[in-house]
Amino acid sequence: HVQLVESGGGSVQAGGSLRLSCSLSGDEGRRYCMGWFRQDAMKERVGVATIDRNGSTRYSASVKGRFTISQDNAKNTVYLQMNELKPGDTAMYYCAAVTFCRGSYCCRLDDLNKYNYWARGTQVTVS
């Protein structure tokens, strides 16, 4: 049974910080890439940051320099440190994992179809 379990969402004032975490269990051996995506009620789900098993990272332009994605391979856990939060960062944040694909094209921010496991989402609200 595969699970992606998130934690760390919440409410914060503009300029504040939050840290999200996400752990994969049940298919750890095939984990290639994990990422964070976000969606608010009015827009489609979009990529925020991804990291592959070798540590290569990608960020959306809107968060680059403010957010940092990292991972603990031994724990199959990925983190998203979010600093200098803005009201525009308010959204539901989803963790996702790629296990059926290998190669840099599998870890893109804009190809959500590559991500075969998704967490339920955690709300981040910035006021």
Side-chain angles (χ1 to χ4, degrees), residues 3-122:
Q3 274 192 313
L4 274 173
V5 179
E6 300 168 320
S7 63
S11 297
V12 66
Q13 290 189 333
S17 299
L18 284 173
R19 188 192 194 209
L20 307 181
S21 64
C22 175
S23 296
L24 172 68
S25 63
D27 201 6
E28 301 93 330
R30 296 195 294 175
R31 176 178 62 88
Y32 178 74
C33 174
M34 291 182 73
W36 291 96
F37 299 79
R38 68 186 183 187
Q39 182 176 22
D40 69 24
M42 306 299 291
K43 300 178 183 177
E44 63 182 6
R45 193 172 299 186
V46 296
V48 175
T50 66
I51 186 166
D52 70 21
R53 197 173 181 90
N54 299 316
S56 295
T57 58
R58 303 183 188 196
Y59 295 93
S60 69
S62 62
V63 307
K64 196 168 187 178
R66 299 188 296 122
F67 292 10
T68 302
I69 190 169
S70 61
Q71 65 187 352
D72 183 332
N73 281 335
K75 297 180 179 178
N76 291 290
T77 298
V78 64
Y79 306 95
L80 186 68
Q81 177 66 42
M82 303 185 293
N83 297 330
E84 300 175 34
L85 282 160
K86 305 174 181 180
D89 295 317
T90 295
M92 186 73 79
Y93 282 70
Y94 298 90
C95 172
V98 175
T99 64
F100 289 102
C101 187
R102 294 292 183 269
S104 60
Y105 67 95
C106 305
C107 208
R108 291 172 51 172
L109 289 163
D110 61 352
D111 190 356
L112 276 63
N113 291 327
K114 290 289 190 296
Y115 296 81
N116 52 301
Y117 294 121
W118 289 85
R120 291 189 171 188
T122 185

